[in-house]
Amino acid sequence: MKTIQPKEIEEILLHFSSSLHHLMEEEDVVWDLVKNCIGILGFEDAVIYLVEGNYLVQKAAIGPKNPNEKEIINPLKIKIGEGITGKVASKGLPTIINDTREDSDYIPDDHFRLSEIAVPILLEGKVIGVIDSENSEANFFSQQHLQILTAVASIYSGQIARIRAEKKAKEEQQIRLELQRKSYQLQLEALSAQLSPHFVFNSLNAIQNHILSEDKRTSIRFLNIFGKLLRYFLSQLKEEFAWLGKEIQMVKWYLELQKLRYGQKITYEIKVSEGLNEENLKIPSIVVQNLIENLLEEQIQKADGEISIFVRFDLCGEFVKLQVRINDSTRAKKDRKNGNGQTVLPWNSIIDLINQVNTVDIKVETKEEPCLDKGQHCKIVNLALPIL
């Protein structure tokens, strides 16, 4: 066995180090490593395993398993803790097997060989892979080989760490850009939801009709409530959260306006459970009004009878539970269109956006069942709004 001189070791490590500076992909790094093991160290074969979950998976190999460039025939997958490489990965310690015939942990790959060396690749104290080589001669690998491969593993680990850090930074940047895009989208949808042209147009049209019919009292009341709603909506456009008490008041104003518009066609009831300190609790903004408008507009243009809507607020641990019940007096197929042919913004899409952008967890449950009092069919939506 040839002894490697200190000067040679220095040149070998310098070559390993200089060959990978230009490499920007993890795949290229591991293939560069096995090529240098063959070309510089004179090994018969070289294999790089990387950790994937509870397994070591062959990612690069030069030898009989690699007839073509960057291609492995039947890549081996070894459970961590099993076999020689699996135990090296488990313990994080390098090993030399002088005669594999005397080691029960030896797992033949493409051919049975008599000696093996395996060195862990460590990153921040954690094994991320293993450098492995086998030889047809017994007692082929020396302590110098072990020292060189240990140093090489450290060099390549640093390059892999840099590549993974850059990849993670790019992924995080993409996530931030996507969240920013969704944030802008949420702001636009909030504007559309709070001040939807359909709602504003119909409200103004209703005011005009009351004025033309010389119903001064209703006109003034309608205009007064409409003005309060507009002021509240405008004040909430850039707000992520809203005071529960103000949201409840907003619901009362909104449903009162619809009552003024449609008269006996609509009945509503709002209940707030005892002990719910509505003035001191904050919940995500936009959600409540958008949900109620969606459910109401879904029914209002196609109903062939009275529409009743029930809204209830309860305290449930760290959440405000909102339940909205509305009777479906037609059981007709829902088409998401209102009477003017305009699409009502889907409330569940807005909730999905809020959960992603504001990193909250609004829980949603929807169901349909017979109504309690009129024998009709009811649509029920339960929201758990986190207290913020």
Side-chain angles (χ1 to χ4, degrees):
M1 184 183 299
K2 179 186 175 182
T3 301
I4 306 173
Q5 300 300 319
K7 181 66 175 178
E8 290 180 280
I9 293 176
E10 183 180 333
E11 291 176 354
I12 288 171
L13 295 180
L14 181 61
H15 185 92
F16 270 99
S17 179
S18 61
S19 70
L20 57 75
H21 282 313
H22 66 288
L23 303 179
M24 304 301 294
E25 298 293 335
E26 194 168 316
E27 179 187 14
D28 296 331
V29 169
V30 294
W31 280 102
D32 181 78
L33 176 49
V34 292
K35 287 177 182 177
N36 283 330
C37 285
I38 299 294
I40 299 174
L41 297 177
F43 290 173
E44 284 185 357
D45 83 339
V47 179
I48 303 300
Y49 295 85
L50 291 182
V51 174
E52 292 185 0
N54 295 321
Y55 290 88
L56 288 172
V57 181
Q58 289 180 338
K59 293 296 183 178
I62 290 185
K65 294 198 69 174
N66 172 237
N68 300 311
E69 186 175 356
K70 292 188 177 182
E71 180 183 345
I72 305 176
I73 299 174
N74 300 321
L76 194 62
K77 188 175 181 181
I78 299 174
K79 190 170 184 180
I80 292 176
E82 296 181 358
I84 293 170
T85 52
K87 287 192 173 180
V88 167
S90 174
K91 297 178 180 179
L93 298 173
T95 188
I96 293 176
I97 308 300
N98 291 318
D99 193 336
T100 58
R101 292 170 296 187
E102 299 175 358
D103 195 307
S104 60
D105 290 325
Y106 177 69
I107 300 174
D109 190 356
D110 55 315
H111 295 290
F112 190 96
R113 295 181 177 86
L114 294 180
S115 58
E116 182 173 0
I117 186 171
V119 175
I121 304 173
L122 299 171
L123 179 57
E124 297 179 351
K126 183 179 180 181
V127 176
I128 63 168
V130 174
I131 304 172
D132 183 72
S133 180
E134 298 180 23
N135 197 277
S136 55
E137 297 180 18
N139 299 298
F140 175 83
F141 298 105
S142 67
Q143 288 299 315
Q144 286 182 315
H145 287 138
L146 195 69
Q147 292 168 6
I148 291 170
L149 285 186
T150 300
V152 165
S154 178
I155 293 170
Y156 279 77
S157 171
Q159 185 73 356
I160 290 172
R162 182 184 66 80
I163 291 171
R164 290 185 177 182
E166 290 178 354
K167 181 180 179 182
K168 183 179 179 181
K170 288 179 181 178
E171 290 174 349
E172 289 175 348
Q173 183 182 28
Q174 288 299 317
I175 291 172
R176 287 194 297 270
L177 290 174
E178 180 63 14
L179 283 176
Q180 188 178 50
R181 184 191 67 80
K182 289 182 177 180
S183 179
Y184 291 146
Q185 181 184 353
L186 179 58
Q187 290 179 25
L188 291 174
E189 292 202 359
L191 178 62
S192 299
Q194 299 281 43
L195 290 171
S196 67
H198 172 63
F199 169 72
V200 174
F201 171 80
N202 282 340
S203 295
L204 292 175
N205 189 50
I207 294 171
Q208 182 182 23
N209 289 337
H210 287 303
I211 291 174
L212 291 175
S213 65
E214 297 184 353
D215 188 348
K216 180 184 288 187
R217 175 175 294 182
T218 303
S219 300
I220 292 174
R221 178 164 175 73
F222 202 114
L223 190 59
N224 182 44
I225 296 174
F226 181 65
K228 290 178 179 178
L229 270 178
L230 285 183
R231 284 193 296 273
Y232 180 71
F233 290 162
L234 290 170
S235 70
Q236 287 295 123
L237 284 180
K238 293 185 178 181
E239 300 294 330
E240 296 178 1
F241 313 116
W243 292 107
L244 177 59
K246 292 183 177 181
E247 287 287 283
I248 293 173
Q249 182 60 64
M250 176 272 297
V251 173
K252 292 177 180 177
W253 288 335
Y254 177 78
L255 292 177
E256 183 61 20
L257 274 190
Q258 300 294 8
K259 177 72 174 176
L260 288 171
R261 280 180 60 196
Y262 295 104
Q264 296 303 315
K265 186 176 181 179
I266 291 180
T267 59
Y268 69 88
E269 181 181 3
I270 301 172
K271 281 192 174 182
V272 180
S273 65
E274 293 183 9
L276 184 59
N277 192 350
E278 58 192 74
E279 301 303 324
N280 294 319
L281 298 179
K282 272 190 172 183
I283 60 173
S285 186
I286 308 170
V287 179
V288 176
Q289 183 268 341
N290 186 248
L291 168 63
I292 292 173
E293 180 179 8
N294 267 248
L295 295 177
L296 194 57
E297 292 296 339
E298 187 179 52
Q299 293 295 327
I300 209 163
Q301 298 297 332
K302 61 187 180 184
D304 53 15
E306 178 184 305
I307 297 172
S308 62
I309 183 167
F310 172 81
V311 182
R312 182 181 178 89
F313 294 89
D314 292 287
L315 184 62
C316 185
E318 297 299 315
F319 293 86
V320 170
K321 183 179 177 182
L322 167 65
Q323 182 180 89
V324 182
R325 286 174 168 262
I326 188 166
N327 67 311
D328 184 349
S329 58
T330 64
R331 299 299 304 277
K333 183 178 179 181
K334 298 170 178 57
D335 55 9
R336 308 300 301 166
K337 299 285 185 178
N338 61 40
N340 293 327
Q342 297 171 312
T343 301
V344 180
L345 285 172
W347 59 270
N348 46 357
S349 296
I350 287 186
I351 288 177
D352 289 340
L353 269 176
I354 290 173
N355 282 342
Q356 294 174 40
V357 174
N358 296 336
T359 61
V360 297
D361 185 20
I362 302 173
K363 302 180 186 300
V364 181
E365 178 194 37
T366 60
K367 57 184 178 179
E368 295 187 10
E369 60 184 39
C371 297
L372 298 176
D373 52 350
K374 298 182 179 179
Q376 295 179 331
H377 201 73
C378 273
K379 182 171 185 176
I380 302 169
V381 177
N382 292 311
L383 298 186
L385 302 166
I387 297 170
L388 306 164

